[in-house]
Amino acid sequence: SYTKDFDAIVKGIRRWADPEHRIRFVGINHANIDDRATVQTWARYFLDPNNHEESVRDALNYIGYHSYETNAGYTSDPASFAHLFEYIDEFVADVSSTNELLATIAPAVKTML
């Protein structure tokens, strides 16, 4: 699973390059291809310390997002860019919604865009 992979990567990095645990980690880099409910399901699972090995629970530092807006018929006419702003508004709403969840289940975890 992604969570087990994350734990193995953290342990490997710490073993070979970061024995003092100074490196911060970004997990579940959500893409805009998932809907809000899917992102929040992933976040709930990933951010539950019980789903991680005890030695890496302190590595739950950040969750990230990335976005792939596609050409939705944009032209040189500025009016055709309206969809871009609608898309950004929805993306920001998704991030804000998940950040509200973070505040309740993992307040120390930060968001990285």
Side-chain angles (χ1 to χ4, degrees):
S1 76
Y2 178 88
T3 302
K4 289 187 186 310
D5 291 345
F6 177 87
D7 291 357
I9 290 166
V10 170
K11 286 173 32 178
I13 290 171
R14 286 180 168 173
R15 178 178 178 202
W16 296 104
D18 187 34
E20 296 177 0
H21 299 193
R22 292 183 180 173
I23 294 175
R24 300 288 151 238
F25 295 90
V26 180
I28 57 173
N29 200 356
H30 296 296
N32 64 323
I33 57 174
D34 292 324
D35 61 31
R36 188 178 300 173
T38 301
V39 168
Q40 289 194 359
T41 298
W42 269 86
R44 273 191 193 89
Y45 183 85
F46 182 79
L47 294 169
D48 182 344
N50 295 315
N51 295 324
H52 292 271
E53 293 184 35
E54 190 172 342
S55 66
V56 301
R57 290 178 182 168
D58 64 330
L60 301 174
N61 308 123
Y62 295 91
I63 64 168
Y65 299 85
H66 56 273
S67 176
Y68 300 110
E69 172 58 334
T70 60
N71 183 335
Y74 305 135
T75 67
S76 60
D77 177 6
S80 71
F81 281 39
H83 174 72
L84 172 65
F85 295 104
E86 292 166 3
Y87 168 82
I88 295 297
D89 288 343
E90 184 64 25
F91 179 73
V92 169
D94 289 345
V95 170
S96 296
S97 177
T98 302
N99 279 348
E100 290 173 14
L101 174 67
L102 279 178
T104 62
I105 65 172
V109 175
K110 307 292 185 224
T111 298
M112 186 172 291
L113 296 176

